Amino acid sequence: MLNTYLAFELEPIIKAINSVLWSKFLMYALLALGIFYTVYLGFPQITKIGLAFKYAFGGMFKKKEKSKDGEVEVNSFQALATAIAAQVGTGNIGGVATAVASGGPGAIFWMWVSGILGMSTIFAEAVLAQLYREERDGEPVGGPSYYISKGLNSKVLAAIFSITIILALGFVGNMVQSNSISLAMSNAINVNSLYIGIALAVLVGFVIMGGLKRITTMAELVVPFMAVIYIIGSGFILYVYRHHLGLVFSGVFREAFSTQAVVGGMAGTVMKEAIKNGVARGLFSNEAGMGSTPHAHATAKVKDPCMQGFVAMAGVVVDTIIICSITALIVLATDAHMSGAKSVAITQYAFSAAFGEPGSIFLAVSLMFFAFTTIVGWYMFGEMNIRYLFKGKTAINVYRVLVLICIVVGSVFGASIIWDLADTFNGFMVIPNLIALFLLAPQVKKAYKNYLNRKKAGELD
């Protein structure tokens, strides 16, 4: 009854808001910001890409440092893993497939473009998160609320960001992720969605009750495993369909610039649809400029803020250039985008085409890992904003309980409006962050120049 009411009464209104918010404003604003920072900082995603991977993965197996009180410090890799945990979710599987099905092979090229431009934006976010980070209840915290409040002296704008990200990610967003897990698992192994939601809530509860340190430790262990397993599984499909890859890549570059009219009665050209879908998917996937990942990067203990900025750039490479691209390529190689399936089912078709029923189960398990880590990462980002808005642990405990309830409800609540609401709240949270990133650009450049001088003097070797 409620599902029907929401679908017929509220969903058209929410969709209309999202159309204006994203298609006509935020997508272009985020892309423009990426171009601005790319030029303003002198193309750091190209000139410093080697440093990005050195700082991101060079200390993976080093002994972790301890603070003065004996607590283990969060290192760059743990912060990166937490950021990737939030970035790599259902969008990397279902969202990419939808972008290819709607925008054609050329969408991949424009997804790469938006990812490369987004690397400079996410660099700025991570630098600001480091510059304005602080400690609350013994935990390192930071993110847009903190750099908006301290950098722009605007507590109102900071509060707006905090409230919207708690709603967008902590509550509505995590309902979306739990819904994706329950659908995938119930289809693969025929288990009641409610039971899956309860089990998921118990697992998430175990992780989040351990605080931010347990979350970063979980991310450090799970994220590399899930990424490698998915890449290996997808790699087998690409090997099986290796003879199709020449046509796939030629189609990517041909349709990225094609002025041919779109078939099926749609207005516009193939290139226009490719740009719209590819850019949108790249931005949604790596979250550059959206204000989410800076929370993770604020937790890292580094010698210089820009070092974590470079680490953040490596995260975009992993998320967009590697994982999203692999999904897109297997969808195109298997012609899954022409199967008539929707969202995750498109990618599921690709795995089933290569491996049969085991392929469908493999994708369901992969999706479970992707969505689970996203839930935990998004919970963490919300908690940092709870800490910004409220003092003491009562608010945090209430927030934890509400998140767990949302996970259970999301697993059985099938209305597509929760996806649309997530987009709406995401849009509202992006606006304060975009304002801050633009106005605080001189602070980013000053920090970058300081890093270059320190690096030249040998202080950061």
Side-chain angles (χ1 to χ4, degrees), residues 379-458:
Y379 161 83
M380 174 181 167
F381 301 163
E383 182 183 308
M384 284 194 179
N385 286 276
I386 291 289
R387 289 177 185 272
Y388 173 78
L389 293 171
F390 306 100
K391 291 183 179 179
K393 294 193 175 180
T394 301
I396 294 174
N397 291 331
V398 171
Y399 170 66
R400 287 173 177 171
V401 171
L402 290 175
V403 168
L404 297 179
I405 291 172
C406 285
I407 289 170
V408 176
V409 171
S411 67
V412 295
F413 189 67
S416 61
I417 193 173
I418 61 173
W419 292 80
D420 297 321
L421 281 172
D423 284 343
T424 304
F425 287 122
N426 273 335
F428 290 146
M429 96 183 181
V430 170
I431 294 171
N433 190 52
L434 284 176
I435 294 170
L437 287 173
F438 181 71
L439 295 178
L440 293 174
Q443 298 294 327
V444 177
K445 187 148 191 181
K446 181 181 177 182
Y448 187 41
K449 285 183 176 179
N450 183 58
Y451 164 82
L452 294 175
N453 291 333
R454 292 183 68 192
K455 181 73 175 171
K456 190 174 181 180

Side-chain angles (χ1 to χ4, degrees), residues 62 154 184 255 270 308 382 403 422:
K62 286 184 180 179
S154 178
E255 295 201 14
V270 170
Q308 196 60 30
V403 168

Side-chain angles (χ1 to χ4, degrees), residues 8 23 72 82 115 152 203 246 274 307 336 396 404 419 425 427 447-448 453:
F8 284 98
S23 300
V72 176
T82 306
L152 294 183
L203 287 173
M307 295 174 76
I396 294 174
L404 297 179
W419 292 80
F425 287 122
Y448 187 41
N453 291 333

Side-chain angles (χ1 to χ4, degrees), residues 89-143:
T90 55
N92 294 72
I93 295 177
V96 170
T98 301
V100 172
S102 302
I108 302 178
F109 176 85
W110 295 107
M111 181 181 71
W112 292 335
V113 171
S114 67
I116 292 168
L117 291 173
M119 288 168 71
S120 63
T121 306
I122 213 165
F123 171 85
E125 288 183 294
V127 169
L128 289 171
Q130 280 284 323
L131 286 174
Y132 293 101
R133 82 178 201 149
E134 55 188 71
E135 195 167 291
R136 297 199 178 188
D137 301 322
E139 303 270 18
V141 292

